[in-house]
Amino acid sequence: MTGPILEPALLVGDHVRLEPLDPRHAPGLAAASADGEGWRKWTTTVPTPDGVPAEIDRRLAEHAAGRMVPWATCLPDGTPVGMTTYMNIDEPNRRLEIGSTWLAASAQGTEVNPEAKLLQLARAFDELDCIAVEFRTHWHNRQSRRAIAALGAKQDGVLRNHSIWRDGTLRDTVVFSILREEWPAVRSGLRARLGAA
């Protein structure tokens, strides 16, 4: 798959920079992974600090194969605090998922996530002409479910026994989406959260 959806894009806001993922982000992302030890949570797939370089390589390989657009989530000064992607890209049907997202504990509950999602959604809807953007999370990851709902996404349903999790348990996946016609209201809500006009 080729086209503008896969082109690396630097997305810059007041509180966050989404930089096309690069191996140079590894030291900062390892420190971000260690902050709060999110990799210890059984409902997430945050890489361990030592596993960050391999995860960067995996995401870059997915990008090269046309299946993912990966970013390093950075503070305005360039300090990496997490990762995010476009994934499950369905270009013919103009759909994608924003996922494989994680943040250092120190960045959670700040303006970083809502502004990152504002930037990603604006690119998806306003530049790439998507008709729907999905979000997916583990049924038991209540923090993630609340955060996705707070963006303005609506729950579509639950995919029961959707995947075999790394510990061998079966994951129920909760699917949310934002539709193109919902985007103006979602954008206004995110801007209000950020104190922007």
Side-chain angles (χ1 to χ4, degrees):
M1 185 182 300
T2 60
I5 199 166
L6 293 171
E7 291 175 7
L10 172 65
L11 305 178
V12 179
D14 293 330
H15 308 284
V16 69
R17 290 171 53 90
L18 297 182
E19 299 181 0
L21 187 63
D22 185 271
R24 69 180 170 79
H25 292 113
L29 288 170
S33 171
D35 176 8
E37 298 186 338
W39 50 273
R40 292 187 185 274
K41 294 181 183 176
W42 73 278
T43 59
T44 66
T45 56
V46 178
T48 65
D50 290 343
V52 163
E55 179 60 11
I56 291 173
D57 289 345
R58 185 190 74 81
R59 292 182 186 216
L60 292 177
E62 287 291 294
H63 179 251
R67 294 188 292 261
M68 179 180 282
V69 180
W71 285 278
T73 305
C74 301
L75 298 178
D77 66 2
T79 302
V81 293
M83 295 181 180
T84 189
T85 74
Y86 285 163
M87 55 190 286
N88 292 322
I89 296 166
D90 182 356
E91 197 163 5
N93 291 301
R94 298 181 4 233
R95 300 177 65 94
L96 56 81
E97 177 188 345
I98 295 175
S100 292
T101 299
W102 62 269
L103 285 174
S106 60
Q108 295 174 18
T110 69
E111 295 90 349
V112 169
N113 188 55
E115 188 170 60
K117 296 304 185 289
L118 178 62
L119 293 168
Q120 288 176 287
L121 288 165
R123 177 162 171 76
F125 287 116
D126 300 335
E127 297 177 29
L128 302 174
D129 197 30
C130 286
I131 59 174
V133 174
E134 289 186 5
F135 300 85
R136 297 182 178 208
T137 192
H138 197 298
W139 171 262
H140 289 288
N141 192 339
R142 290 173 180 83
Q143 179 182 358
S144 178
R145 287 166 59 188
R146 284 191 302 271
I148 293 168
L151 297 172
K154 293 182 173 59
Q155 184 174 318
D156 293 320
V158 181
L159 303 175
R160 307 288 305 279
N161 286 355
H162 180 236
S163 59
I164 300 172
W165 207 235
R166 62 180 181 268
D167 64 358
T169 59
L170 295 172
R171 167 179 149 153
D172 290 348
T173 299
V174 188
V175 182
F176 295 79
S177 67
I178 297 171
L179 305 181
R180 178 172 54 192
E181 56 268 28
E182 298 167 340
W183 166 233
V186 169
R187 179 176 51 213
S188 294
L190 288 169
R191 286 177 173 170
R193 283 178 66 183
L194 295 164

